[in-house]
């Protein structure tokens, strides 16, 4: 198999709980995914990432794994999974699984055994330390808020958790534990999957000092993101992990490495890198503007996007590495709401995001529903929210003195549940996702936004995505998109995100006008129109005029 077999593929992320319910119990399942493989094939997808589907008590929707060798029965069985692999192979679709090994579930047998004997064999699979007096070992704050430490009843010991207290962190310093992890990975690779998305991998190496630092908020705690993330020494773990597992299968890996600086890309991606790819979160979180105050919603400019985006594009290119380019995933609000801050959106706006997602250098990842322009959900009350993170953030906001209505507005906008609403297949009850009441709210706009409506319409967003994927992967321009270099252009134009892609003698320009106003560009030679969200190009007397939110791809000779 060619070494870089993945380079010209577009990846589609499936959130299994919300994709398609073929068994009609209100929850999506593996049989449902099989039913929709032809849909994905027609869209041009050749690789699918399925979010965590292992056995789990579902405190964090499957990212709390209680048995790495079993599939959560609500999704199906190992036999269903094997069917899925076979059916996907028939359609030339590769499958990526989620790998959640920074932590497991408190229901995992390792942790249950550790609780019984915290200083014994399994106790050392976790991070267990003595408190100081009646206080936890240090003042680190976990990703979902609150201390990373949880007391172990009847002892003066605490265990460490980066996420919820039901997700105890695994101790990667322990060789036996690492070997168990390699066994798990090889078990799934042997079943014929193409690779993994590595969950929360930034956190596997802890800052070994375990000391307290100056608090960054009134709660007296300090964010983990500043004291123990991508900690030096992590590369030693990652190298061994790669050698014992992925390398043996020429597997594809994409890492969730938050806060990774472009300066460090060469260590993690590239020909000698530790992963095939890492997500570029710099521009995915442009609306947060580096603030840790998630409830502060900021609008952002083209410049806010362009700065981090081109910095990371350049760094990845320098080390011959591939970034994973995503605008959405199961942890983010819908990109339309984020980028255009409204409740209804135009075709041009949605197609603008499609062009951005699919024309950069790297591996494009699409999230289910993005291809039909699914939007944030019209939440009515906080009781509709299921996501553990949003609920803990809501409580934190109330404790911080935020007005409950404001706090609700903020989570309604940023809640991860926005991405997790059932896929809108048609205009039938429950959006054709299931015949039974789904586990989470269906977006009320499903009658106007759904697959069936767009499938038959050549001018729909779905058709635009198909055309764009075709252009990227199976056209005379494929190599320029999948292998070409990238340089930012028109840097002086504040409203433009613009770049040039070059492969051998072929040169493409991609111009995205992220504003409500026209933008004029001087071009002395008439550009050759390739694709755009206005389906035409306004060019007259050496001037190319970009309309509001116009996204244009053209060839330059
Ligand atoms: C990142 C996952 O994407 C998210 O859904 C989960 O809550 C955390 N990691 C913990 O596994």
């Amino acid at each position: 198999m060619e070494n870089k077999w993945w380079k010209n593929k577009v990846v589609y992320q499936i959130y299994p709980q919300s994709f398609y319910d073929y068994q009609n119990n209100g929850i999506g399942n593996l049989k449902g995914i099989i039913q929709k493989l032809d849909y994905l094939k027609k869209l041009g997808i050749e690789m699918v990432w399925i979010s965590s589907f292992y056995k789990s008590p579902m405190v964090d929707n499957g990212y709390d794994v209680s048995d790495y060798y079993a599939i959560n029965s609500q999704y199906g069985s190992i036999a269903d999974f094997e069917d899925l692999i076979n059916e996907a192979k028939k359609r030339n679709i590769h499958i990526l699984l989620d790998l959640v090994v920074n932590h497991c579930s408190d229901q995992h047998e390792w942790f249950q055994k550790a609780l019984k004997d915290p200083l014994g064999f399994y106790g050392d699979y976790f991070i267990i330390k003595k408190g100081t007096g009646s206080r936890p070992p240090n003042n680190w704050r976990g990703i979902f808020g609150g201390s990373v430490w949880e007391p172990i009843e009847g002892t003066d010991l605490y265990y460490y958790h980066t996420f919820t207290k039901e997700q105890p962190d695994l101790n990667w310093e322990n060789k036996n534990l690492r070997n168990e992890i390699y066994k798990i990975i090889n078990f799934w690779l042997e079943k014929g999957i193409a690779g993994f998305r590595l969950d929360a991998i930034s956190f596997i190496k802890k800052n070994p000092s375990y000391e307290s630092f100056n608090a960054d908020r009134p709660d007296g705690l300090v964010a983990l993101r500043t004291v123990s993330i991508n900690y030096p020494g992590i590369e030693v773990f990652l190298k061994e992990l790669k050698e014992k597992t992925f390398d043996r299968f020429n597997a594809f890996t994409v890492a969730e490495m938050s806060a990774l600086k472009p300066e460090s890309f060469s260590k993690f991606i590239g020909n000698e890198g530790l992963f095939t790819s890492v997500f570029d979160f710099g521009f995915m979180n442009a609306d947060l503007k580096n603030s840790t105050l998630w409830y502060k919603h900021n609008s952002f400019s083209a410049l806010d996007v362009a700065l981090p985006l081109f910095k990371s594009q350049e760094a990845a290119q320098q080390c011959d590495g591939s970034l994973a380019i995503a605008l959405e995933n199961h942890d983010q609000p819908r990109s339309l709401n984020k980028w255009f801050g409204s409740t209804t959106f135009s075709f041009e706006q949605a197609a603008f995001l499609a062009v951005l997602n699919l024309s950069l250098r790297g591996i494009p990842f699409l999230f289910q529903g993005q291809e039909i322009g699914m939007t944030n959900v019209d939440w009515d009350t906080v009781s509709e929210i299921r996501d553990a993170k949003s609920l803990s953030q809501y409580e934190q906001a109330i404790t911080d003195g935020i007005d409950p209505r404001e706090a609700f507005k903020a989570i309604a906008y940023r809640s991860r549940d926005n991405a997790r609403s059932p896929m809108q297949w048609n205009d039938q009850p429950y959006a054709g996702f299931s015949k039974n009441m789904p586990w989470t709210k269906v977006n009320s706009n499903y009658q106007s936004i759904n697959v069936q409506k767009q499938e038959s319409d050549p001018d729909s967003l779905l058709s635009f995505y198909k055309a764009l994927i075709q252009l990227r992967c199976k056209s005379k321009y494929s190599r320029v998109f999948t292998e070409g270099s990238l340089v930012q252009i028109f840097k002086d134009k504040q409203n433009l995100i613009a770049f040039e892609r070059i492969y051998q003698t072929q040169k493409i320009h991609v111009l995205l006008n992220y504003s409500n106003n026209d933008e004029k560009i001087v071009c002395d030679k008439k550009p050759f129109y390739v694709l755009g969200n206005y389906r035409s190009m306004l060019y007259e007397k050496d001037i190319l005029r970009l309309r509001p939110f116009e996204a244009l791809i053209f060839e330059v000779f």
Side-chain angles (χ1 to χ4, degrees):
M1 198 193 292
E2 201 222 326
N3 204 22
K4 291 192 174 178
W5 58 267
W6 38 265
K7 73 178 176 228
N8 55 0
K9 313 227 176 295
V10 173
V11 187
Y12 186 95
Q13 184 191 351
I14 289 182
Y15 196 67
Q17 212 167 348
S18 308
F19 190 57
Y20 184 52
D21 173 19
Y22 190 58
Q23 287 158 329
N24 287 315
N25 60 5
I27 302 172
N29 34 56
L30 297 182
K31 282 195 162 64
I33 300 178
I34 296 175
Q35 291 302 308
K36 297 297 180 185
L37 286 173
D38 285 332
Y39 166 76
L40 296 175
K41 174 97 190 148
K42 269 195 229 149
L43 182 55
I45 298 301
E46 290 186 278
M47 184 135 69
V48 161
W49 152 30
I50 306 175
S51 271
S52 182
F53 64 9
Y54 309 100
K55 187 168 176 201
S56 161
M58 302 297 272
V59 171
D60 188 20
N61 274 12
Y63 286 85
D64 46 325
V65 179
S66 56
D67 183 350
Y68 290 98
Y69 294 99
I71 290 174
N72 187 335
S73 56
Q74 75 178 24
Y75 299 133
S77 61
I78 289 274
D80 294 334
F81 175 72
E82 286 166 350
D83 281 352
L84 170 60
I85 291 282
N86 289 335
E87 291 301 319
K89 274 210 176 110
K90 284 186 202 159
R91 294 163 177 86
N92 196 23
I93 295 178
H94 299 253
I95 303 279
L96 302 178
L97 299 189
D98 229 299
L99 184 68
V100 191
V101 288
N102 170 68
H103 48 270
C104 60
S105 155
D106 61 353
Q107 301 306 307
H108 194 289
E109 66 163 322
W110 297 335
F111 191 68
Q112 289 300 314
K113 287 181 179 162
L115 284 183
K116 288 198 185 110
D117 183 13
L119 302 177
F121 183 84
Y122 283 103
D124 196 47
Y125 272 32
F126 297 89
I127 296 157
I128 295 180
K129 293 199 183 298
K130 265 205 169 123
T132 47
S134 58
R135 303 162 75 110
N138 65 28
N139 71 339
W140 300 356
R141 184 191 305 110
I143 299 299
F144 293 171
S147 169
V148 296
W149 299 101
E150 191 64 21
I152 301 183
E153 240 182 71
T155 71
D156 57 354
L157 299 168
Y158 291 75
Y159 70 87
Y160 182 107
H161 57 94
T162 299
F163 298 95
T164 69
K165 66 178 175 14
E166 291 85 0
Q167 292 164 293
D169 277 39
L170 293 164
N171 177 16
W172 276 68
E173 307 288 342
N174 181 318
K175 197 168 187 327
N176 294 321
L177 179 267
R178 293 204 304 279
N179 284 333
E180 292 276 10
I181 291 176
Y182 307 149
K183 243 171 63 192
I184 294 164
I185 296 173
N186 291 331
F187 169 83
W188 291 103
L189 285 170
E190 273 155 20
K191 291 210 171 289
I193 63 161
F196 289 96
R197 173 263 188 182
L198 282 71
D199 183 75
I201 205 76
S202 299
F203 297 104
I204 60 172
K205 176 78 186 177
K206 315 304 186 221
N207 175 342
S209 75
Y210 285 99
E211 61 189 327
S212 286
F213 292 88
N214 289 338
D216 58 17
R217 298 197 34 186
D219 61 4
L221 304 177
V222 58
L224 213 47
R225 284 185 192 280
T226 53
V227 298
S228 185
I229 188 167
N230 303 328
Y231 204 81
I234 190 170
E235 59 283 358
V236 180
F237 290 154
L238 295 175
K239 188 161 179 284
E240 183 183 274
L241 166 70
K242 180 173 179 264
E243 284 167 4
K244 302 249 175 178
T245 59
F246 312 131
D247 275 356
R248 299 184 179 177
F249 295 82
N250 193 13
F252 176 90
T253 54
V254 55
E256 187 196 30
M257 277 208 109
S258 19
L260 187 66
K261 299 213 167 60
E263 297 82 83
S264 322
F265 283 174
S266 59
K267 233 193 284 172
F268 295 97
I269 49 177
N271 288 328
E272 298 305 317
L274 298 160
F275 310 113
T276 316
S277 185
V278 290
F279 284 105
D280 184 5
F281 288 113
F283 76 109
M284 191 190 251
N285 287 325
D287 62 323
L288 295 180
K289 292 208 168 158
N290 293 327
S291 158
T292 48
L293 298 181
W294 60 274
Y295 43 79
K296 286 241 162 14
H297 174 211
N298 301 293
S299 57
F300 53 91
S301 66
L303 208 60
D304 292 325
V305 175
L307 281 175
L309 172 65
F310 291 114
K311 210 168 157 208
S312 55
Q313 284 277 319
E314 201 185 312
Q317 188 158 234
Q318 261 168 21
C319 66
D320 198 18
S322 288
L323 288 167
I325 309 295
L327 296 178
E328 296 192 11
N329 66 29
H330 63 293
D331 293 332
Q332 294 281 333
R334 290 289 183 175
S335 54
L336 275 168
N337 296 74
K338 201 189 276 185
W339 284 69
F340 303 106
S342 164
T343 46
T344 52
F345 307 94
S346 63
F347 165 84
E348 286 78 14
Q349 288 172 323
F352 172 101
L353 295 177
V355 172
L356 179 63
N357 208 160
L358 286 155
S359 55
L360 285 162
R361 187 180 170 282
I363 321 255
F365 276 63
L366 306 179
F367 180 71
Q368 65 183 46
Q370 186 184 335
E371 75 278 23
I372 53 166
M374 279 179 65
T375 65
N376 277 357
V377 178
D378 45 329
W379 305 108
D380 291 319
T381 75
V382 76
S383 63
E384 291 171 338
I385 304 285
R386 302 265 175 282
D387 169 30
K389 178 180 179 188
S390 310
L391 293 174
S392 125
Q393 285 178 325
Y394 178 76
E395 270 161 34
Q396 187 185 313
I398 303 290
T399 316
D400 286 359
I402 308 287
D403 178 85
R405 274 166 310 191
E406 281 306 303
F408 171 62
K409 224 168 97 189
I411 57 163
Y413 159 66
R414 240 209 175 259
S415 174
R416 309 191 296 179
D417 281 354
N418 284 306
R420 301 173 180 187
S421 69
M423 179 74 185
Q424 294 164 207
W425 292 107
N426 58 39
D427 61 3
Q428 299 301 299
Y430 308 128
F433 160 74
S434 174
K435 294 209 164 52
N436 264 304
M437 170 88 104
W439 69 279
T440 184
K441 186 168 171 173
V442 177
N443 197 319
S444 62
N445 61 18
Y446 71 92
Q447 281 169 331
S448 55
I449 300 176
N450 65 61
V451 170
Q452 194 180 44
K453 190 165 169 209
Q454 296 192 23
E455 254 176 341
S456 51
D457 175 3
D459 294 329
S460 68
L461 183 64
L462 181 62
S463 301
F464 187 76
Y465 264 95
K466 277 184 199 162
L468 204 47
I469 295 175
Q470 166 89 17
L471 179 74
R472 184 183 173 98
C473 306
K474 302 240 159 39
S475 78
K476 65 173 180 164
Y477 298 109
S478 294
R479 298 194 90 162
V480 81
F481 284 113
T482 58
E483 294 177 57
S485 61
L486 183 146
V487 187
Q488 183 183 7
I489 51 176
F490 300 121
K491 281 192 191 167
D492 57 319
K493 300 274 180 197
Q494 300 260 317
N495 291 329
L496 281 197
I497 302 169
F499 46 95
E500 175 175 86
R501 307 285 323 261
I502 302 186
Y503 182 78
Q504 294 177 350
T505 54
Q506 224 171 21
K507 201 190 269 182
I508 291 277
H509 281 185
V510 181
L511 307 186
L512 297 122
N513 176 18
Y514 186 47
S515 99
N516 242 325
N517 303 313
D518 282 8
E519 187 74 61
K520 288 187 189 136
I521 309 252
V522 180
C523 295
D524 33 17
K525 251 185 163 181
K526 187 174 181 196
F528 180 76
Y529 173 84
V530 175
L531 195 70
N533 59 350
Y534 278 80
R535 310 184 195 282
S536 66
M537 187 175 69
L538 289 186
Y539 179 81
E540 220 179 46
K541 296 192 186 124
D542 290 355
I543 301 285
L544 177 65
R545 188 149 64 83
L546 294 170
R547 291 152 281 193
F549 303 116
E550 178 155 2
L552 180 63
I553 304 176
F554 56 85
E555 189 170 3
V556 183
F557 297 99

